[in-house]
Amino acid sequence: MTNFEFYSPTRVLFGKGVLSRIGEESAAYGKKALFLYGKESLKKSGLYDFIKSETEKAGISLIEFGGVEPNPVLSHALAAIELARKESVDFIIAAGGGSVIDEAKGIAAGFYGKDDLWDYYSKKSTVEKALPIVAVQTQPATSSETNQVGVLTNPERGEKFGLRSPLLIPKLAFLDPEVTFSIPVQYTAYACFDIMSHLFEGYFTTTADFSPVQDGFVEGMVKAVMVSLERILKEPEDYEARASVMWAAALAWNGLSNAGLDGAHIPCHMLEHPMSALYNISHGAGLSIVTPVWLKSRKKQISNRIIKFGQNILELEGLENRDVSSACDLVIEKLEDFLRNIACPLSFAEAGIHDIDVDELTKQAMTLSELWNIKGYTEDEIKKIYNQCS
């Protein structure tokens, strides 16, 4: 196990009715907040009015800024920073899914920043100070409510990059599983595969010979998400299943699963970010396209981890009686079956995306491999993966 630093300071309020405390709890961060949210779903659900009412009772003035995109864009964040500065806000209330909380992190960094905001995402600048963030998670998937990472898309450059700083970890997170009842089951499926991917990319890529703590954590969490999703697909308002997914989402990418794990990295995210940047596909759907193809491309290098995944997560029997290659093929085939059963796409075509610009996708993926220090991928290999995703 390598040396590591784990820092997870977010105070999480979890369960039914916890949002009734948003006013009294948020008041610790000031009297004026930028109220950031997406498009119509927050208002349709009634959460918009509820948050306004509870914060008003606590004497907090809200400066509203809606319209965050599912893949949040740089121009919207810049406009929010301008408004936040003009109104001299004290903190941000970000109510929505990972996209809203991710954009809040860019705004929080840019509020005090003197550099071009995109410089934080391209690692030309470092965050020195940030606005406090209060997160209200409504579509769990990315752990944005408990981690230090935020992602934005720059459409002019066709890039989807992330920034990272412990200063951007939300101070407070409200997680009420009942607010997720209205999420369409298809988007719940996409979100669940995103959660699973956050967990098992390090599991697949680690070079550790002995990692029972991390392996056990990942195996248990991925199985928990799978069995919970199975229940949600049958009964979308299954509270216990929704609660399990929400808590798994908060823990999956907060740094815990990969802490000290030798060699762990996230190549499927490296390959997917260009896909959602160029084609605005749901992140979880993009991961469902690229992950099986990536596994096939790396079968020889990580065969032991693929078989371990099949035995301990998919609970496949008899893999030890097969040769290594066919055992890996069966595991990947069963993962594809799982994705089909939850109606996730396995190709660009199934996602309704045609005329793929493989060269541009490859260019962006190579840039991310450098920014994220993911080694061992050539342009030819990445092009081959994208071509096989078609």
Side-chain angles (χ1 to χ4, degrees):
M1 190 181 297
T2 60
N3 294 357
F4 66 89
E5 180 177 330
F6 178 69
Y7 181 59
S8 185
T10 305
R11 181 169 168 237
V12 175
L13 278 67
F14 189 103
K16 298 179 182 179
V18 293
L19 274 167
S20 64
R21 297 166 59 187
I22 190 168
E24 61 183 278
E25 298 290 351
S26 298
Y29 304 104
K31 290 298 183 181
K32 184 182 285 190
L34 180 72
F35 182 24
L36 189 72
Y37 54 91
K39 295 191 175 178
E40 299 301 320
S41 61
L42 198 74
K43 293 183 177 180
K44 288 179 180 178
S45 70
L47 280 178
Y48 170 86
D49 289 331
F50 187 82
I51 292 171
K52 286 192 68 174
S53 174
E54 293 303 312
T55 50
E56 182 179 338
K57 291 176 187 176
I60 298 171
S61 174
L62 296 184
I63 307 302
E64 295 185 36
F65 199 73
V68 177
E69 299 286 345
N71 283 306
V73 296
L74 176 64
S75 58
H76 194 267
L78 290 172
I81 291 169
E82 183 178 352
L83 176 63
R85 287 174 173 169
K86 177 183 176 182
E87 296 290 343
S88 300
V89 303
D90 301 311
F91 66 105
I92 302 171
I93 295 177
S99 58
V100 173
I101 303 170
D102 275 7
E103 183 170 320
K105 292 175 182 178
I107 297 165
F111 182 84
Y112 292 109
K114 296 180 181 179
D115 299 320
D116 185 290
L117 181 59
W118 199 245
D119 285 349
Y120 296 112
Y121 292 85
S122 55
K123 293 191 174 181
K124 295 178 182 177
S125 299
T126 302
V127 179
E128 301 291 344
K129 188 178 181 181
L131 285 172
I133 298 171
V134 173
V136 179
Q137 179 57 268
T138 65
Q139 187 160 336
T142 65
S143 299
S144 292
E145 65 273 25
T146 58
N147 71 22
Q148 60 182 293
V149 181
V151 176
L152 276 184
T153 297
N154 185 337
E156 291 184 3
R157 298 171 62 97
E159 296 173 340
K160 182 178 179 179
F161 291 171
L163 84 169
R164 178 188 294 267
S165 169
L167 297 173
L168 301 176
I169 303 173
K171 305 295 185 184
L172 188 61
F174 290 88
L175 278 65
D176 182 344
E178 287 188 318
V179 309
T180 69
F181 286 176
S182 61
I183 301 173
V185 291
Q186 189 55 68
Y187 284 95
T188 300
Y190 294 157
C192 283
F193 192 67
D194 190 7
I195 297 166
M196 292 167 61
S197 182
H198 289 145
L199 289 160
F200 63 51
E201 283 206 69
Y203 181 91
F204 281 130
T205 57
T206 182
T207 55
D209 294 324
F210 183 74
S211 51
V213 173
Q214 296 94 332
D215 287 355
F217 178 79
V218 169
E219 289 164 2
M221 290 281 284
V222 172
K223 289 167 70 174
V225 172
M226 292 175 74
V227 72
S228 298
L229 176 59
E230 183 179 354
R231 286 176 52 153
I232 291 168
L233 293 176
K234 294 176 182 176
E235 176 47 66
E237 295 190 6
D238 183 325
Y239 179 85
E240 295 301 331
R242 289 284 188 179
S244 295
V245 167
M246 186 168 238
W247 189 226
L251 296 175
W253 198 235
N254 72 341
L256 187 60
S257 64
N258 285 348
L261 196 59
D262 303 81
H265 54 276
I266 51 171
C268 292
H269 275 69
M270 173 190 79
L271 293 162
E272 196 290 321
H273 274 220
M275 294 162 60
S276 48
L278 292 178
Y279 304 110
N280 203 30
I281 187 175
S282 169
H283 180 51
L287 287 168
S288 75
I289 293 170
V290 78
T291 298
V293 178
W294 174 80
L295 285 169
K296 293 171 186 176
S297 76
R298 288 270 148 169
K299 185 174 69 172
K300 291 182 180 179
Q301 295 95 323
I302 61 169
S303 58
N304 62 321
R305 303 301 293 183
I306 294 175
I307 292 171
K308 186 178 179 72
F309 178 87
Q311 291 172 327
N312 295 351
I313 295 178
L314 300 183
E315 299 181 343
L316 301 177
E317 298 180 355
L319 292 178
E320 68 280 2
N321 299 324
R322 293 172 172 261
D323 65 79
V324 170
S325 181
S326 67
C328 290
D329 289 341
L330 179 60
V331 173
I332 298 168
E333 177 185 328
K334 293 301 181 182
L335 177 61
E336 290 176 325
D337 288 345
F338 167 77
L339 290 168
R340 287 191 189 94
N341 287 338
I342 62 173
C344 284
L346 289 169
S347 68
F348 281 118
E350 288 184 18
I353 301 171
H354 306 282
D355 300 320
I356 308 302
D357 190 340
V358 171
D359 289 338
E360 183 59 29
L361 288 168
T362 301
K363 177 184 174 184
Q364 288 195 34
M366 292 300 294
T367 299
L368 288 175
S369 73
E370 182 177 349
L371 287 173
W372 295 355
N373 196 31
I374 299 177
K375 302 183 185 300
Y377 289 84
T378 66
E379 287 189 21
D380 287 343
E381 180 181 7
I382 291 175
K383 283 183 180 180
K384 185 177 180 181
I385 290 173
Y386 283 132
N387 281 316
Q388 290 177 346
C389 289
S390 298

